[in-house]
Amino acid sequence: MPDTRAPSRRTFLGSTAVAAIAVAGGVPLLSACSGSSGDSRAEGVTTGKKLQGILPAFVGSDVVKPDLPSTNGSAVAFTTALPASKLAVSVPEKLGKGSTVSIMAPLWGTSPENGNPYWTAMDEAIGVKVNWQNQDGNTYGQKLGAVLASSSVPDVVVVPAWELGGKMPSAINNKFADLGPYLSGDKVKDYPNLAAIPTNAWQRAVFGGKLRGLPMPASDIPNIAPFYRSDLFKAKGYQPPTTTQEFFDLAKEITSARSRVWACGDMTWAAYKFFGVLDEKPACWKLVGDKLVHRIETPEYLEALEWSRSLYSAGFVHPDAKAESGDIGNLFTAGRVWMYNADISDWYGKTVVQRGDNPGFSMAAMDYFHHDGGKPRLFAGSPSNIWAFVNKNADEKTIRDVLAVANYTAAPYGTKEQRLKAYGVEGLHHTLKGDEITKTETGNNEVFATYEYIASPQQFFAYPNHPDVAEGMVRWQQRMGAFVTRPLFYGMQVQEPNRWAELSSQFEDLEKDIVRGRKKISDMQQAVSDWRSRGGDQLRDWYRKLLDDAGDQAS
């Protein structure tokens, strides 16, 4: 998973799913896509019938039944594991025809050596040999830009949503193939696991009026969770806060610099939820009367920054967070920090590591609340945040073999295909005793989340060795899902014209400076004024036209 030392769009956007969102049910997709720099011919709206002609048919899978079904838009959960002999089969016939394909993807960890038994087993099972070109996930954007600007583009390139800024949408339109001839409508039925991917995830994969991406589905529920050390809270008799004032008071109680204990890491991302701040483009607009207002123009945006700033100025935030160094997650597990926000997957990642030496270790996600104690105001997140794109110069055999890989990797939990993808070869990469799957040292060194990015099934949590964590994650999503609403432009893949591509680029660094006390709130107010004069008001008019064209379908 991405590094979560400090809130950064480069590491958090995919998790919080704050890019444009898509809607199931065939609602028109806004695809205002720029072509090459300065070319506005590709800008426009993909609506109704055209969109329906692009999207794959949805055919749900009944291969496996989850232990905890989806409620309020949550993921599903599995709390048990089956022996290999009882696993379902979702790919009865090998679809790959023997191509060798190159795939560039982010990797948070050390890439295993070529020819390792895990990749070899996957190649043999799918019938396609993959040459992985894994890149450091923390600097992936730099490498991605360089590769797409060159004449040497791999057969498949993974692009996360947090790298969609600037001219990246133009590069996607110009460099990658239209998969519609292979997947649109009933054609997807040749790949049953791809057909079972929710329609709204596919809608987010439409770029430039073409189905270009293979999606990694996600829940509409925000994936950034405010975690706390439930074991330490219990020992002290603390309860999770229900207002921002309670959070502040509790932080004061917890913090003891002399004992090298601080209440929290940077809480800006949680603060946005506590204060009901809109997400990022295109879900960054709301109607106030008859006027579109951007998230940075709202009082709640400034209030969230001011509250986050107050935690720093009071000394409740660990010094490493202010310095933007170290790893807050490690400080959390060490008991030096008692609260932090991160991708919900940290719940399992931290637990599985810590319980080996500390069986009493326990963490949980506190429920979001509105800052004054009312019901939280949460906005639906993106139903897909990461896509795999196929080189536009690939021939049909290569494209079909890439789809064979994607169909295999999109297999649901409880299948032989998913077991191999997630855990590798039994006996070598993992062992199974009862309901407990345990990766071996070889498995930890070779079985990384690489294939996950090609295509994935509907979001699920499956931790049979820690069923309490799987249930806790889904129950939290179910509770939060009850408060999720659809923002304006919900369901739209908006790609802004290149002339405004860098308009908001300075705000992330400015937010960091303000909460850390290096800049003032008045500096943000001035930046917003500058944003308006440099093109923000024109961008507002551009979105207003899209809103008028889409009508009720944009709200």
Side-chain angles (χ1 to χ4, degrees), residues 474-544:
V474 166
R475 297 298 188 199
W476 181 83
Q477 282 196 335
Q478 290 172 344
R479 293 194 303 274
M480 297 303 94
F483 303 106
V484 170
T485 60
R486 295 179 176 181
L488 205 61
F489 298 109
Y490 180 88
M492 298 183 177
Q493 174 61 276
V494 175
Q495 297 168 5
E496 297 171 356
N498 285 333
R499 59 187 177 275
W500 296 310
E502 303 299 331
L503 187 59
S504 302
S505 60
Q506 81 277 19
F507 282 95
E508 178 183 1
D509 288 337
L510 183 55
E511 290 163 3
K512 290 182 179 181
D513 286 342
I514 287 172
V515 300
R516 288 164 176 77
R518 300 190 287 257
K519 297 282 187 179
K520 300 178 181 178
I521 291 292
S522 60
D523 293 315
M524 178 60 77
Q525 293 170 316
Q526 182 61 52
V528 172
S529 178
D530 293 342
W531 171 87
R532 291 173 182 146
S533 62
R534 290 189 300 107
D537 285 336
Q538 292 175 289
L539 183 63
R540 187 195 323 277
D541 293 341
W542 186 83
Y543 269 95
R544 181 68 213 210

Side-chain angles (χ1 to χ4, degrees), residues 62-65 78 80-90 412-419 426 430 432 434-435 437:
D62 58 1
V63 173
V64 293
K65 182 180 179 181
F78 296 88
T80 58
L82 297 174
S85 61
K86 294 186 179 180
L87 292 173
V89 175
S90 66
Y413 181 85
T415 62
K416 291 184 177 180
E417 296 80 20
Q418 191 277 338
R419 177 70 59 83
E426 185 173 359
H430 72 272
L432 178 65
D435 284 346
I437 299 178

Side-chain angles (χ1 to χ4, degrees), residues 125-455:
I126 299 170
V128 179
K129 178 175 174 53
V130 175
N131 286 336
W132 288 99
Q133 299 179 12
N134 294 315
Q135 308 295 331
D136 182 356
N138 295 315
T139 57
Y140 189 67
Q142 301 170 21
K143 184 66 175 179
L144 184 62
V147 167
L148 295 185
S150 72
S151 59
S152 180
V153 178
D155 296 317
V156 178
V157 178
V158 174
V159 180
W162 57 90
E163 303 294 355
L164 283 183
K167 298 180 180 179
M168 185 60 67
S170 297
I172 290 172
N173 294 341
N174 293 328
K175 296 285 187 177
F176 298 119
D178 175 12
L179 301 179
Y182 306 91
L183 296 175
S184 293
D186 288 343
K187 295 171 185 174
V188 76
K189 293 179 181 179
D190 290 339
Y191 309 96
N193 288 330
L194 296 183
I197 291 176
T199 301
N200 51 3
W202 284 112
Q203 288 184 226
R204 282 281 289 146
V206 176
F207 288 79
K210 306 290 185 181
L211 182 65
R212 301 186 194 276
L214 295 166
M216 184 178 187
S219 168
D220 279 355
I221 299 165
N223 236 34
I224 288 298
F227 289 116
Y228 67 100
R229 282 290 299 269
S230 51
D231 53 349
L232 301 180
F233 270 50
K234 183 178 180 180
K236 285 287 189 178
Y238 297 153
Q239 295 295 321
T242 58
T243 69
T244 49
Q245 184 61 53
E246 286 183 10
F247 190 109
F248 188 93
D249 294 341
L250 179 60
K252 183 178 181 179
E253 178 75 16
I254 293 171
T255 301
S256 174
R258 177 176 295 180
S259 301
R260 297 177 57 80
V261 173
W262 284 264
C264 57
D266 185 287
M267 299 301 296
T268 307
W269 289 96
Y272 290 149
K273 308 302 181 191
F274 294 153
F275 285 85
V277 178
L278 289 161
D279 288 327
E280 297 206 359
K281 69 179 182 181
C284 55
W285 301 94
K286 69 177 180 178
L287 272 176
V288 178
D290 195 44
K291 181 183 178 182
L292 279 180
V293 176
H294 195 281
R295 72 190 291 267
I296 61 176
E297 301 176 290
T298 62
E300 53 265 30
Y301 174 69
L302 296 181
E303 290 167 355
L305 293 176
E306 181 59 42
W307 180 76
S308 297
R309 178 188 178 95
S310 73
L311 298 177
Y312 276 97
S313 61
F316 303 154
V317 182
H318 194 281
D320 283 1
K322 186 170 186 177
E324 299 183 69
S325 64
D327 189 317
I328 297 300
N330 288 342
L331 294 169
F332 176 79
T333 56
R336 300 299 183 188
V337 166
W338 285 27
M339 296 178 285
Y340 82 124
N341 42 205
D343 188 277
I344 194 172
S345 63
D346 263 24
W347 196 335
Y348 175 73
K350 295 289 187 290
T351 300
V352 73
V353 171
Q354 293 303 310
R355 282 186 178 171
D357 297 323
N358 180 14
F361 175 88
S362 178
M363 61 185 286
M366 68 179 72
D367 286 1
Y368 279 119
F369 48 80
H370 197 52
H371 68 92
D372 61 2
K375 296 179 180 179
R377 301 172 187 173
L378 305 177
F379 299 103
S382 171
S384 62
N385 312 306
I386 299 177
W387 307 275
F389 297 94
V390 182
N391 191 313
K392 70 175 183 180
N393 296 320
D395 58 24
E396 180 174 346
K397 180 184 177 184
T398 299
I399 291 176
R400 290 201 177 275
D401 272 2
V402 171
L403 296 179
V405 175
N407 184 66
Y408 195 98
T409 62
Y413 181 85
T415 62
K416 291 184 177 180
E417 296 80 20
Q418 191 277 338
R419 177 70 59 83
L420 178 61
K421 179 188 73 171
Y423 293 100
V425 179
E426 185 173 359
L428 176 63
H429 297 113
H430 72 272
T431 59
L432 178 65
K433 294 181 180 179
D435 284 346
E436 186 170 349
I437 299 178
T438 305
K439 277 189 179 179
T440 64
E441 183 177 354
T442 300
N444 287 329
N445 291 332
E446 292 182 355
V447 183
F448 283 88
T450 48
Y451 284 96
E452 302 288 342
Y453 303 131
I454 308 308

